[in-house]
Amino acid sequence: MKHFLSTCDLSARDAVALLDSTMDMSRRRAAGDSDNLPLRGVTVANAFFEDSTRTRLSFELAARALGAEVITFTAASSSLSKGESLKDTLKTLEAMDAGALILRHPDSGAAESAVRNEWVSARIVNAGDGTHEHPTQALLDAYTIRSRFFGSDAAGKTLDGLRVVIVGDVLHSRVARSNMWLLTTLGAEVSIASPVSLQPKGVSQFDVKVFGTLDDALDTDPNVVMTLRVQRERMTSGFFPTESEYATFWGMSAARLSKLSDSSIVMHPGPMNRGLEIASSVADSSQSTVTEQVANGIAARMAVLNNIMGGH
Ligand code: NCD
């Protein structure tokens, strides 16, 4: 791969190879291997035009673990307030020798347009563009699922036969979008459950089942329930009557968790609204993979950086 912009165009073979590489990276981290530094001499620039905690830190750690230098730009402390454009910011970072740009931007399609218009020659990773895609999050989610269900035998495996329910604010979720592409490519049976007002437009382009209630979706005995943050900052009007009603109908509660089999897992990309889309006791339960997802994110991003910068 030259860039990593989307999970939509990944083949199953490439996706499995990235998961296998994530597994190698995770072992490498566990073993504290610091001899082999494939990105030595490379500068990775984080260009974050939107707030982020875990994604930015995770890319920083991933780049450093591979031996790269890291520079970080965040919108709040930049020349953006002086009207500098995305194009000029990326060109500035490239002029500082950045070979890879990790881009998070509030506009859907930002990373793709930087590549298409050839603003820079650096490699670009989409770290979240508006409500469009967040491909490294989907990769770490797929990896978390595969590790939980196949353990150390996971290498080479797809997610064939696993049932995944994605619940909540699918409309505003780039995480859901990237996961719908990737998890279906990997052979999982994916369903979404959300209020009609929070269903994505054009849902028929995804190979997913749509449920009108969370309880109906949970009746399918899913292996994975992926909860999503209610993205209040992207809501311009009322998408549901009240938060307590949302929690009652769409929240992953302790009662709902008890209906799942013991081996099923509950995921959340973070940041969580505890008590809204996920009950605190569920987020902290042994079936929750919330912190595991964060930890796996570093290895997944190492795999992506290593792939796009391969033989830099
Ligand atoms: C997600 C994001 O920013 O898209 N978070 C993340 O990357 N960890 C999900 C969200 O904001 O709800």
Side-chain angles (χ1 to χ4, degrees):
M1 296 185 306
K2 227 176 141 185
H3 307 282
F4 193 52
L5 304 179
S6 161
T7 55
C8 173
D9 39 23
L10 272 186
S11 66
R13 209 168 137 237
D14 291 346
V16 168
L18 276 172
L19 293 177
D20 290 350
S21 168
T22 301
M23 196 169 179
D24 291 342
M25 295 297 173
S26 173
R27 290 190 173 139
R28 203 191 124 108
R29 271 173 55 74
D33 178 1
S34 55
D35 295 337
N36 166 23
L37 298 173
L39 263 61
R40 181 174 294 197
V42 172
T43 299
V44 173
N46 275 320
F48 277 62
F49 294 78
E50 206 184 65
D51 292 343
S52 162
T53 313
R54 65 210 87 212
T55 304
R56 182 168 58 76
L57 294 176
S58 171
F59 269 109
E60 280 181 21
L61 285 171
R64 284 208 191 97
L66 296 171
E69 288 278 346
V70 181
I71 53 176
T72 293
F73 155 96
T74 53
S77 56
S78 72
S79 290
L80 273 194
S81 49
K82 299 179 189 162
E84 186 163 76
S85 68
L86 170 61
K87 176 178 172 179
D88 286 326
T89 306
L90 297 184
K91 287 176 89 65
T92 301
L93 292 168
E94 188 176 51
M96 292 176 184
D97 270 346
L101 299 170
I102 315 300
L103 178 62
R104 169 166 288 199
H105 199 278
D107 295 343
S108 299
E112 203 184 307
S113 76
V115 170
R116 198 172 356 93
N117 294 308
E118 299 178 2
W119 288 336
V120 286
S121 57
R123 304 292 161 106
I124 296 188
V125 178
N126 178 5
D129 61 327
T131 56
H132 181 226
E133 282 224 43
H134 191 356
T136 58
Q137 177 72 40
L139 181 65
L140 75 89
D141 288 339
Y143 178 77
T144 303
I145 296 171
R146 201 179 74 159
S147 314
R148 272 277 182 141
F149 289 95
F150 300 111
S152 51
D153 292 336
K157 294 218 164 74
T158 63
L159 302 180
D160 225 359
L162 291 175
R163 289 178 302 282
V164 181
V165 168
I166 302 178
V167 55
D169 185 358
V170 185
L171 174 67
H172 298 108
S173 179
R174 52 198 180 200
V175 173
R177 220 163 248 286
S178 285
N179 265 304
M180 288 192 281
W181 293 125
L182 183 62
L183 300 182
T184 52
T185 296
L186 284 165
E189 237 174 75
V190 180
S191 306
I192 61 170
S194 68
V196 175
S197 59
L198 292 173
Q199 265 171 28
K201 291 175 198 86
V203 72
S204 59
Q205 65 182 303
F206 300 100
D207 186 14
V208 300
K209 275 193 218 132
V210 179
F211 286 94
T213 74
L214 173 54
D215 291 318
D216 284 345
L218 296 185
D219 283 344
T220 63
D221 189 20
N223 305 98
V224 177
V225 178
M226 184 180 289
T227 56
L228 300 171
R229 184 172 64 88
V230 172
Q231 303 205 9
R232 296 189 187 92
E233 78 280 15
R234 296 195 203 275
M235 294 186 183
T236 44
S237 57
F239 281 84
F240 49 85
T242 64
E243 294 200 342
S244 79
E245 192 190 287
Y246 186 91
T248 305
F249 288 100
W250 301 101
M252 195 59 206
S253 60
R256 290 194 167 110
L257 177 65
S258 70
K259 285 203 263 170
L260 298 179
S261 52
D262 291 345
S263 62
S264 298
I265 58 172
V266 179
M267 310 182 76
H268 194 300
M272 294 184 278
N273 295 304
R274 286 176 181 255
L276 185 54
E277 69 266 4
I278 187 166
S280 237
S281 62
V282 175
D284 297 332
S285 75
S286 59
Q287 283 167 270
S288 154
T289 58
V290 175
T291 51
E292 212 169 301
Q293 286 167 266
V294 175
N296 288 337
I298 303 166
R301 286 162 180 134
M302 286 169 75
V304 168
L305 287 172
N306 192 45
N307 183 305
I308 61 165
M309 297 308 290
H312 60 91

Short mmCIF file of all heavy atoms in Angstrom, two decimals, residues 54-55 104 134 137 174-175 229 231 269-271, ligand 1:
data_model
loop_
_atom_site.label_atom_id
_atom_site.label_comp_id
_atom_site.label_asym_id
_atom_site.label_seq_id
_atom_site.Cartn_x
_atom_site.Cartn_y
_atom_site.Cartn_z
N ARG A 54 -6.67 9.23 22.16
CA ARG A 54 -6.02 7.93 21.99
C ARG A 54 -5.43 7.73 20.59
O ARG A 54 -4.36 7.15 20.47
CB ARG A 54 -6.96 6.78 22.39
CG ARG A 54 -8.19 6.62 21.56
CD ARG A 54 -9.32 6.06 22.39
NE ARG A 54 -10.01 7.16 23.04
CZ ARG A 54 -10.60 7.10 24.21
NH1 ARG A 54 -10.60 6.00 24.89
NH2 ARG A 54 -11.20 8.16 24.70
N THR A 55 -6.09 8.22 19.56
CA THR A 55 -5.57 7.97 18.21
C THR A 55 -4.23 8.67 18.01
O THR A 55 -3.28 8.09 17.49
CB THR A 55 -6.59 8.45 17.15
OG1 THR A 55 -7.84 7.79 17.40
CG2 THR A 55 -6.12 8.12 15.75
N ARG A 104 -5.97 13.71 10.63
CA ARG A 104 -7.35 13.69 11.15
C ARG A 104 -7.96 15.04 10.82
O ARG A 104 -7.37 16.10 11.09
CB ARG A 104 -7.38 13.46 12.65
CG ARG A 104 -8.78 13.73 13.21
CD ARG A 104 -8.97 13.21 14.58
NE ARG A 104 -9.05 11.76 14.59
CZ ARG A 104 -9.57 11.05 15.59
NH1 ARG A 104 -10.06 11.67 16.65
NH2 ARG A 104 -9.62 9.74 15.52
N HIS A 134 -12.47 5.72 9.35
CA HIS A 134 -11.41 5.69 10.36
C HIS A 134 -10.78 4.30 10.27
O HIS A 134 -11.00 3.44 11.12
CB HIS A 134 -12.06 5.95 11.73
CG HIS A 134 -11.08 6.22 12.84
ND1 HIS A 134 -9.71 6.18 12.68
CD2 HIS A 134 -11.29 6.54 14.15
CE1 HIS A 134 -9.13 6.46 13.84
NE2 HIS A 134 -10.07 6.68 14.74
N GLN A 137 -8.84 2.40 13.10
CA GLN A 137 -9.70 1.95 14.20
C GLN A 137 -10.36 0.63 13.82
O GLN A 137 -10.43 -0.30 14.63
CB GLN A 137 -10.76 3.02 14.51
CG GLN A 137 -11.76 2.61 15.61
CD GLN A 137 -11.16 2.59 17.01
OE1 GLN A 137 -10.38 3.47 17.36
NE2 GLN A 137 -11.52 1.59 17.81
N ARG A 174 -17.65 7.32 11.73
CA ARG A 174 -16.66 6.84 10.76
C ARG A 174 -16.12 5.47 11.19
O ARG A 174 -15.68 4.69 10.36
CB ARG A 174 -15.53 7.86 10.64
CG ARG A 174 -14.94 8.27 11.99
CD ARG A 174 -14.18 9.57 11.85
NE ARG A 174 -13.60 10.01 13.11
CZ ARG A 174 -13.24 11.27 13.34
NH1 ARG A 174 -13.44 12.19 12.43
NH2 ARG A 174 -12.69 11.60 14.48
N VAL A 175 -16.17 5.21 12.51
CA VAL A 175 -15.72 3.91 13.01
C VAL A 175 -16.66 2.81 12.48
O VAL A 175 -16.21 1.76 12.00
CB VAL A 175 -15.72 3.91 14.56
CG1 VAL A 175 -15.42 2.51 15.10
CG2 VAL A 175 -14.72 4.92 15.10
N ARG A 229 -20.22 5.77 20.31
CA ARG A 229 -20.49 7.00 21.06
C ARG A 229 -21.61 7.80 20.40
O ARG A 229 -21.65 7.93 19.17
CB ARG A 229 -19.22 7.86 21.09
CG ARG A 229 -19.34 9.12 21.92
CD ARG A 229 -17.99 9.80 22.06
NE ARG A 229 -17.48 10.27 20.78
CZ ARG A 229 -17.75 11.46 20.26
NH1 ARG A 229 -18.54 12.30 20.90
NH2 ARG A 229 -17.24 11.82 19.10
N GLN A 231 -22.62 10.99 19.16
CA GLN A 231 -21.73 12.11 18.79
C GLN A 231 -22.49 13.44 18.85
O GLN A 231 -22.88 14.00 17.84
CB GLN A 231 -21.13 11.87 17.40
CG GLN A 231 -20.39 10.55 17.35
CD GLN A 231 -19.31 10.49 16.28
OE1 GLN A 231 -18.97 11.48 15.64
NE2 GLN A 231 -18.76 9.31 16.08
N PRO A 269 -15.12 2.18 20.82
CA PRO A 269 -13.87 2.80 20.37
C PRO A 269 -13.35 3.88 21.32
O PRO A 269 -12.19 4.29 21.21
CB PRO A 269 -14.25 3.41 19.01
CG PRO A 269 -15.72 3.66 19.11
CD PRO A 269 -16.27 2.59 20.00
N GLY A 270 -14.21 4.34 22.23
CA GLY A 270 -13.84 5.47 23.08
C GLY A 270 -13.83 6.75 22.27
O GLY A 270 -13.65 6.70 21.06
N PRO A 271 -14.03 7.89 22.88
CA PRO A 271 -14.38 8.08 24.28
C PRO A 271 -15.82 7.68 24.57
O PRO A 271 -16.69 7.85 23.71
CB PRO A 271 -14.17 9.57 24.50
CG PRO A 271 -14.29 10.20 23.13
CD PRO A 271 -13.88 9.16 22.15
C1 NCD B 1 -13.56 7.66 17.42
C2 NCD B 1 -13.33 8.78 16.45
O1 NCD B 1 -12.68 9.76 16.76
O2 NCD B 1 -13.85 8.64 15.36
N1 NCD B 1 -12.68 7.64 18.48
C3 NCD B 1 -11.43 7.16 18.34
O3 NCD B 1 -10.81 7.26 17.31
N2 NCD B 1 -10.92 6.51 19.39
C4 NCD B 1 -14.94 7.50 17.83
C5 NCD B 1 -15.65 8.64 18.46
O4 NCD B 1 -15.20 9.78 18.45
O5 NCD B 1 -16.73 8.38 18.96
#
